[in-house]
Amino acid sequence: MTQLPDSSLSRLFDPQGIAIVGASATPGKIGAMPVTLLRQHGYAGRIVPVNPRADAIQGLPAVPGLDALDADIDLVILAVPAAHAAQALERARPGQIGAAVVFTSGFSETGASGAAQQERLCAAARERGIRLLGPNCLGFMNVRRKVYATFSPAPANGIVPPGGIGMVSQSGAFGAYAYSMARERGLGLSHWISTGNEADIDVADCIEWLANDADTRVIMAYMEGCRDGPKLRRALAAARAADKPVVVTKIGRTQAGAQAAASHTAALAGDDAVYDALFRQYGALRARTIEEFFNLGYALDTWKRLPGGRRLGIFTISGGVGALMADEAHDAALALPEPSAAAQARLLERVPFASGRNPVDVTGQAVSEPGLLLATADDILADGRYDALAVFLAAAGSSEALWPTFEAFAREMQARHPGVPLGISALFPPARRRELERLGCLVFPDPSAAIRTIGAVASLADHAGVDADAGMPEAVPAAGAPLLEAYNEVQAMELLRQAGLPATPCTLATDEDAVVRAAAALGGAVAMKVVSPDIVHKSDVGGVKLNIAGEDALRAAYAGIMDSVRRHCPEARIDGVLVAPMAPKGVECIAGVHCDPVFGPVMMFGLGGVFVEVLKDVSFRLAPFGRDVALEMIREIKGHALLQGARGAPPCDIVALADALAALSRFAHARRADFSSVEINPLLALPEGQGALALDAVVLRADAAA
């Protein structure tokens, strides 16, 4: 069911009336700017200046305080010093005001005294049912409704046209810059929002509201941190459910960057790998640079239909640039299938010196033979081999004489192949570029930027049909037995077995007789390993014996383990020796969970051994999740080829492996208050049809981690 927009935020972002506390007629004052912008750009609602020292401001009747308003009003802008902000709201009666935007700084970002003032402001808002944007923010704009609740000078220098991009930023300075960049790039905005200190409304609230806003098709967000991980997860899920792509620039990817973010605002910077996992899980595109941020927003807004996969056709009039574009396509994980043999033959018959492979190079002949461009592109797209087409026309785009050819080409391509989005790289004059964009074509002067952008947008197809929240039973029931003070390997394996994970049977033996009985119950050769909370690398101290069979050998192995461990680690606590059947052959993997302070349990998966310790070839997702998300995790690692079967090895049971990851994620979510981390190493991926098997586990209680 489609969720309707939050009505309290609708009163904020689409107000029918606005009061400006601290309104001014003096140019340059923050209380003057919103009044000026609202009047200048034709806001149709009621505007009420609030100032006890003036009867009228900028030609509008003023009132001395909010208690003097003669009717309820949707939005109040607070443009007064921090010390007076709460006092101004306290003059309003409950239910009179829908929302407030607080421009002023001097709140929690300044320290304890500012935090106290912010809390008083929030208390006044809560008592009166007022939603709060800010404080310490530049406000917002509803471009289509001409609402300019901001003191940013950016719209005074030229406004952006109304469009389908909703933009939200935690940073006011970046937000103003982004607004100006959108104007320069010709991007149309539905809303522009800065959130500041996020005392009430945060980026997640705005993303979710924009996801349900009829005027918004694409959401662009700039983030420095997040305090409420589950809320941000719900917001991204709402955007995905509404089929509205999200582009995110999240700073703080490095330790230095994270420290800068924390000092810049009151936001909390979490582990960047967790943010990456969140964005991947919900199909949000993460932009690493400002150029990429705007390129992605531009592409998503211009292309009304996105690529259905990663198969790219490259069509060029320059072989050298075609090779460059092919290299970029490889780096962007785009496939370059060749056109059909028949299509290549027809091209070579027409232009013998052309190259019919992909990239398709028709040389400069396309300039002298106008019909060649459309005929060739139409031919290579005829049999549905491509999900997108990139065309390089070099400086020919600046030719006025060739413009009718290029315009007809773009128009006909959209009509004949509406399912294959088109990107053109050429040097077009601004007016010509805008005309092609109105026809639904991307236009880039830089062919490399074009390919990188197409590759990022095409990656959205990887998540098509995958419900990030599917397959999540509500909870694994808590075990009947009380929590143990600590869990050794045997107890940890039993805990996971109860949670539905495939765990190898194992027994803790404390003497030679117990070892013999355990081995007899299992049947066949066994593995033996010392169990001690003080010994991490057990094989280094002689604590592991493999493939042991027969009573005498079992007794000797037990004695040998105990003697060696006591000799190497005389102070170590020893619980006993684990006895388990020898593991079958398979590919060793690792699966782990740790509790992030913002997002809760986060799952990790990778291949075992050096792949995780040295290469760090791992993937992450937020728990809980189902099989489809687990399969994405598995396919994401570089070592995925080893699981598919390499050098004659049989393919692994990847579905069973995914089910094990999903089960662990559900357990971690259900028991998140009890356990801070779980690690299964190794988690054995057996040959196809034989399942997966956890061979060892470490479980850490939440209070132990604290």
Side-chain angles (χ1 to χ4, degrees):
M1 177 183 293
T2 301
Q3 181 180 345
L4 295 176
D6 185 328
S7 60
S8 65
L9 295 193
S10 294
R11 290 189 72 184
L12 166 64
F13 294 129
D14 189 11
Q16 305 307 300
I18 303 173
I20 301 96
V21 179
S24 174
T26 305
K29 287 198 170 183
I30 66 169
M33 185 66 79
V35 181
T36 301
L37 290 172
L38 289 166
R39 299 186 70 221
Q40 177 182 334
H41 296 298
Y43 170 62
R46 184 186 182 199
I47 306 172
V48 184
V50 180
N51 191 319
R53 294 184 295 277
D55 295 328
I57 289 177
Q58 297 190 37
L60 297 171
V63 299
L66 294 177
D67 52 349
L69 289 172
D70 59 5
D72 294 350
I73 202 156
D74 288 332
L75 175 63
V76 166
I77 297 172
L78 294 179
V80 294
H84 303 303
Q87 182 181 1
L89 274 194
E90 287 166 351
R91 297 183 66 174
R93 66 178 183 276
Q96 179 188 19
I97 295 165
V101 176
V102 187
F103 291 164
T104 322
S105 59
F107 289 94
S108 64
E109 79 280 3
T110 64
S113 62
Q117 287 201 114
Q118 183 165 306
E119 180 48 41
R120 180 185 171 190
L121 177 69
C122 291
R126 283 193 301 268
E127 290 166 4
R128 290 156 181 80
I130 298 171
R131 297 303 306 270
L132 205 63
L133 183 65
N136 185 30
C137 76
L138 278 183
F140 76 93
M141 301 174 232
N142 181 331
V143 179
R144 199 174 298 275
R145 307 294 193 278
K146 302 178 179 13
V147 179
Y148 290 87
T150 181
F151 68 97
S152 169
N157 298 325
I159 61 171
V160 300
I165 296 176
M167 188 176 288
V168 54
S169 171
Q170 286 181 322
S171 164
F174 180 87
Y177 174 77
Y179 180 91
S180 301
M181 283 289 293
R183 183 180 60 226
E184 295 303 311
R185 292 287 296 264
L187 301 183
L189 301 185
S190 59
H191 299 81
W192 175 93
I193 308 165
S194 72
T195 58
N197 287 7
E198 300 189 341
D200 172 20
I201 297 167
D202 61 12
V203 162
D205 291 311
C206 298
I207 290 173
E208 186 165 10
W209 189 84
L210 290 169
N212 293 291
D213 172 54
D215 294 332
T216 301
R217 293 192 306 273
V218 177
I219 300 168
M220 298 176 67
Y222 172 90
M223 294 183 58
E224 296 174 342
C226 172
R227 296 185 182 92
D228 189 337
K231 187 202 285 188
L232 181 57
R233 186 173 179 175
R234 289 194 302 271
L236 294 175
R240 183 165 183 174
D243 199 25
K244 295 186 180 181
V246 179
V247 180
V248 183
T249 288
K250 163 65 177 69
I251 66 167
R253 292 189 292 116
T254 63
Q255 185 175 3
Q259 290 170 348
S263 65
H264 180 55
T265 69
L268 300 176
D271 181 356
D272 192 66
V274 179
Y275 283 99
D276 231 22
L278 171 71
F279 300 146
R280 287 175 183 270
Q281 196 159 338
Y282 289 92
L285 295 177
R286 185 169 188 178
R288 259 59 180 190
T289 67
I290 292 175
E291 180 188 22
E292 187 180 11
F293 184 66
F294 284 99
N295 284 348
L296 290 173
Y298 161 70
L300 292 166
D301 189 48
T302 302
W303 273 350
K304 300 305 182 278
R305 181 164 180 173
L306 302 182
R310 292 180 174 270
R311 301 171 304 167
L312 176 67
I314 297 177
F315 186 19
T316 176
I317 64 173
S318 164
V321 175
L324 171 68
M325 295 169 76
D327 289 343
E328 292 284 1
H330 176 271
D331 293 344
L334 290 166
L336 298 176
E338 289 191 10
S340 68
Q344 293 189 54
R346 284 189 291 270
L347 172 61
L348 293 176
E349 182 179 348
R350 192 167 186 174
V351 186
F353 45 86
S355 172
R357 305 178 68 184
N358 192 7
V360 175
D361 177 18
V362 294
T363 73
Q365 189 72 15
V367 175
S368 59
E369 188 179 340
L372 180 61
L373 197 65
L374 178 59
T376 304
D378 194 28
D379 201 10
I380 66 176
L381 295 181
D383 59 358
R385 294 182 181 221
Y386 301 102
D387 300 303
L389 180 66
V391 178
F392 178 70
L393 298 175
S398 59
S399 168
E400 193 66 24
L402 290 173
W403 167 247
T405 297
F406 298 147
E407 182 189 26
F409 170 72
R411 195 179 300 277
E412 284 299 312
M413 290 298 293
Q414 295 296 329
R416 299 183 191 187
H417 305 281
V420 183
L422 174 64
I424 299 177
S425 178
L427 296 176
F428 287 105
R432 300 306 192 195
R433 173 179 56 80
R434 287 191 293 271
E435 180 59 29
L436 291 174
E437 290 166 349
R438 279 192 289 271
L439 292 172
C441 299
L442 299 186
V443 181
F444 283 94
D446 178 3
S448 294
I451 299 298
R452 288 193 296 266
T453 302
I454 292 171
V457 173
S459 71
L460 292 173
D462 298 343
H463 306 281
V466 176
D467 184 350
D469 292 323
M472 302 189 305
E474 183 51 37
V476 177
L483 282 172
L484 303 178
E485 186 172 330
Y487 288 78
N488 60 36
E489 292 98 315
V490 177
Q491 294 160 335
M493 292 285 280
E494 179 57 30
L495 186 70
L496 296 179
R497 187 181 296 107
Q498 292 175 9
L501 275 94
T504 189
C506 55
T507 302
L508 182 66
T510 55
D511 57 40
E512 293 179 10
D513 291 340
V515 168
V516 173
R517 289 194 299 272
L522 293 171
V526 298
M528 298 169 61
K529 179 174 61 175
V530 68
V531 177
S532 169
D534 302 321
I535 302 174
V536 177
H537 300 292
K538 298 174 173 58
S539 58
D540 292 350
V541 297
V544 179
K545 302 287 185 182
L546 301 177
N547 206 28
I548 309 300
E551 181 174 342
D552 291 343
L554 290 165
R555 293 182 183 277
Y558 178 85
I561 287 174
M562 299 302 286
D563 289 345
S564 180
V565 169
R566 288 183 179 125
R567 187 168 61 254
H568 286 91
C569 306
E571 304 299 324
R573 294 166 292 172
I574 299 175
D575 294 340
V577 171
L578 178 150
V579 182
M582 288 297 295
K585 289 185 177 180
V587 176
E588 290 191 1
C589 303
I590 183 171
V593 182
H594 80 276
C595 257
D596 182 84
V598 174
F599 291 98
V602 179
M603 280 282 299
M604 179 199 76
F605 169 76
L607 296 184
V610 297
F611 293 100
V612 66
E613 294 176 3
V614 177
L615 302 180
K616 295 180 173 57
D617 182 20
V618 294
S619 60
F620 295 91
R621 291 295 186 275
L622 274 61
F625 51 76
R627 177 189 287 175
D628 286 352
V629 172
L631 287 169
E632 282 190 331
M633 287 185 77
I634 295 168
R635 288 192 292 262
E636 198 172 288
I637 65 170
K638 297 180 180 68
H640 177 228
L642 294 176
L643 295 169
Q644 293 178 299
R647 300 180 68 87
C652 293
D653 198 333
I654 293 178
V655 171
L657 185 61
D659 288 342
L661 295 178
L664 180 58
S665 82
R666 292 191 293 268
F667 167 80
H669 177 71
R671 304 292 298 274
R672 60 193 180 279
D674 297 333
F675 302 106
S676 64
S677 68
V678 179
E679 183 174 293
I680 302 175
N681 187 17
L683 173 61
L684 199 63
L686 300 175
E688 198 166 33
Q690 297 181 31
L693 192 61
L695 300 184
D696 196 0
V698 176
V699 173
L700 183 64
R701 279 186 50 168
D703 49 5

